[in-house]
Every structure is written in structure tokens, then in C-alpha cells.
Amino acid sequence: MLPAFSQFAVSGVAPEALQKTWKFFADGGFFMLLIILCSVLALMVIVYKMMTLTKASVVPGRLAGEVELVEAHHESDQLERLRVEFREGDSSLARLCDVAMRNEGRPLGEAKEAVQASAREEIVRMNAGLPILDVVITVAPLLGLLGTASGLVLIFGNTEDLTSGANNAKIGAGIARALGTTIAGMVVAVPSVVAHSYFTRKIETMAARLEVLLGGLVGARVTSAEGSGKMDGQQKLSQFPDAGRS
């Protein structure tokens, strides 16, 4: 493998490819520099979301199983251990369950508001970084078109060459270079759209899972209160707010 690569490099093909790549970006000028900046931002956001938007940080499997068995914990007097686990947890599920448990003694309406406020905060946290991808998706193609338009203005600025037919080859090459920024803008925008759609769908799926789990936790509270005669016919708690983009 290494000898083959060495032979490839010595032959001059690799440096030539690098020179062509450098020339492609250099011909784009200032607008190409902005597009490269957009690509770096998009890549940073994608890596950040892949590291933070994980099942372990939002809905850990083991903790979700504990929440699903919360009624059994009520009956076996193991609820205090679960409270400690919620309080010390660092996932979205743990934080929301901790809020629900800490407001257990309050009226159901007040507990509902507290959980919903915390849920909105978690949704904003899960959507962190996606607005940057929104901007890159919109701006990168526009920068490409702007770079192409400015390049064409410079190319066709010399009307003498156009009327005389001189330097047609140079004009054609200049048009090809000017279109490079449009290509670069599209190359940055397309993966950003795919990543944005993927992360948005993942957030919606995780939010739905959180809603189901919180519904079970609140339902256990309602069942427990009814069994002890503490319910006054109040309405059930709505578990989770809209999980759309913030």
C-alpha cells in the first residue's frame, strides 16, 4: 500500500491534483472563502450533534425501563431509590422525571406547568446547533450564485473581446471558473440539508419517547393519589410540549 502511494506521489500526479484543487478554490475568490467557512461551521455542528444527540444523553435505556416500572416501585417502596437516580442523572429523561417527582406534592395544574417548562428547555437544548445548519443551507447556495454572478460581470466587462470574437477560449474558461462557486455552494448545502433532516427527525422521535415515559410517570402518580383518596377530579397532566424546531 505505502510503496504504491509513494510511486503515485513521485510520479507527480498527487501534486498536480492538489494544485488543481487549490486553483479551483483560489479562482472562487472572496465568495469561495465564505463558502469554505460555511462548510466548516456545518461540519462542526454535525459532529457536535452526533456526539450530544445520543440515546444515552436523552433517553437511556436502563432508566427508561425503570420509569416504565414506576408503579411496581410504588408498590415495593423503592421509589426513593428512583428519586435519587433521577436527581443524580444527567440525561433529559432524568431531569424531566426529577422535576415531576419534586412537584409531586403540588396541585396537578402547577406540576403540569413545571414539567412543561422543563420540557421546553430540553427541546431547546436538543435543537442546539440546528439554527446554524438552517443558515448554512440558505446562505451557501446564495453565496455560490453571488460569486458566479460577480465572476461573469468581470468576464463580460470587456465588450471589445465579445464583439471582435477575440479570446473566446479565455472567456469560456472564465465562465467555467465562475461557476465553481455555485458548485461549491451546492456541495455544502446538500449534506447540510440531509443532516438537518436526520437530526430533526431524531429529535422528534426522542421527544415522542419522552412523552410516553412521562405520561406513564404521571399516570402512576394519578393512580397512587386515587388509591389514597387524594384526587379531587382534577385533569391529567399533558406530558410534553410540541417537539418542533425552536
Side-chain angles (χ1 to χ4, degrees), residues 132-210:
I132 296 178
L133 279 184
D134 273 328
V135 173
V136 170
I137 291 168
T138 304
V139 169
L142 295 179
L143 288 173
L145 291 174
L146 189 57
T148 297
S150 63
L152 292 177
V153 168
L154 295 176
I155 292 169
F156 291 108
N158 191 349
T159 56
E160 294 181 359
D161 288 345
L162 295 177
T163 55
S164 64
N167 297 326
N168 285 340
K170 291 183 178 181
I171 292 175
I175 294 174
R177 287 196 300 270
L179 291 173
T181 54
T182 298
I183 295 173
M186 294 297 181
V187 167
V188 172
V190 171
S192 299
V193 171
V194 174
H196 187 280
S197 299
Y198 169 75
F199 290 129
T200 300
R201 179 59 183 168
K202 191 172 184 179
I203 290 171
E204 291 174 355
T205 302
M206 289 181 169
R209 178 63 173 156
L210 285 172

Side-chain angles (χ1 to χ4, degrees), residues 9 34 37 60 71 81 83 89 94 99 121 136 145 177 183 193 225:
L34 294 179
L37 178 60
E71 291 188 11
R81 179 184 63 81
R83 291 177 190 272
V99 171
E121 183 180 358
V136 170
L145 291 174
R177 287 196 300 270
I183 295 173
V193 171

Side-chain angles (χ1 to χ4, degrees), residues 58 60-71 73-74 78-104 122 210 213-214 216-218 220:
V58 181
R62 189 187 64 80
L63 188 60
E66 296 280 358
V67 174
E68 289 176 339
L69 299 175
V70 66
E71 291 188 11
H73 290 304
H74 268 287
Q78 295 183 0
L79 197 59
E80 188 59 34
R81 179 184 63 81
L82 199 58
R83 291 177 190 272
V84 174
E85 195 166 350
F86 290 155
R87 188 163 53 249
E88 296 178 352
D90 194 33
S91 64
S92 298
L93 177 60
R95 287 189 290 267
L96 290 174
C97 290
D98 182 48
V99 171
M101 296 296 252
R102 282 191 285 105
N103 289 274
E104 188 177 22
E122 291 298 329
L210 285 172
L213 293 172
L214 286 175
L217 184 64
V218 173

